[in-house]
Structures are given as C-alpha cells and as structure tokens.
Amino acid sequence: QVQIVESGGGLVQPGGSLRLSCVASGFTLDYYAIGWFRQAPGKEREGVACISSSGGTTYYADSVKGRFTISRDNAKNTVYLQMNSLKPEDTAVYYCAAAPNCRRVGSPGDYWGQGTQVTVSS
C-alpha cells in the first residue's frame, strides 16, 4: 500500500513554532519532489513550499519566506516543514504531496496525505 502521512500539527500561540512531518510508506521518496500545501476555511488551496528530490532546490510562497523551512531526510523517507514566527493567518489544514518535480506537484493524481490541522491563536 502506498501511503503518505502528515503529523505535527496542533494549537500554538502567535509567534510560536511547529515542525510538520511527511512520512511515506510503500514507496521511497528518493525520486520525488515534495510539496506542502495548506487550505484554510473558505479559502482555496495554497502552495506553501516545495523541495526537489535531491534536496538541492527549494521554493517558498512569499507569505512564508523567512519563517518556514522545508527539508528532507531520504534515509528516513521523511520531509519536514519547520514553521517559525507563526501568525493567525497560517491557520489551515496542511497537506504534503509527491510528484516527479516541483513544477508538477499539486495535481490530483499526485500522492497526497490526509492532512494535519495547524491552529494559531491566542
């Protein structure tokens, strides 16, 4: 069975930090680019960050540059999203997806996880 599972979400105060994990089973992430997406209530899904299969190239949405960092550990079949200086506007369900490259990630045919809730509130 091919499966991707996100974890690490929760409730945090503004200015706090969380680290999200995206773990694959049933296949290896070595040859896949991994993107993080989020969807807030009543909003369209938004691309947050992406990392190439080698880890050599990363991309970030302007809204999170300087605050979020995407990284990967292929030996653990895991991709991380470190989120610092969190704002209420970051509240959303966060998803990860695997695709051949970052230009293509986000398609319905990609491998998707179930999502993890991030809530930033005082």
Side-chain angles (χ1 to χ4, degrees):
Q1 289 285 331
V2 174
Q3 188 174 25
I4 297 176
V5 177
E6 302 98 330
S7 62
L11 175 63
V12 64
Q13 293 185 334
S17 298
L18 288 171
R19 189 179 76 162
L20 306 184
S21 298
C22 175
V23 182
S25 61
F27 72 108
T28 178
L29 291 180
D30 290 16
Y31 302 128
Y32 292 88
I34 301 296
W36 282 97
F37 298 81
R38 65 187 182 186
Q39 188 164 23
K43 303 292 185 180
E44 295 292 318
R45 186 175 62 207
E46 174 189 20
V48 175
C50 188
I51 187 167
S52 63
S53 59
S54 69
T57 305
T58 57
Y59 303 90
Y60 298 95
D62 288 343
S63 59
V64 306
K65 284 181 179 178
R67 300 188 298 120
F68 290 11
T69 302
I70 189 170
S71 62
R72 66 191 302 155
D73 185 345
N74 285 347
K76 296 181 178 180
N77 226 25
T78 301
V79 172
Y80 303 98
L81 185 68
Q82 179 67 46
M83 306 186 296
N84 298 325
S85 302
L86 283 163
K87 306 174 181 180
E89 304 93 277
D90 297 317
T91 296
V93 178
Y94 283 71
Y95 303 88
C96 64
N101 56 65
C102 283
R103 291 190 65 205
R104 296 180 60 185
V105 72
S107 300
D110 295 343
Y111 296 141
W112 288 88
Q114 84 293 335
T116 185
Q117 175 71 49
V118 172
T119 302
V120 185
S121 177
S122 59

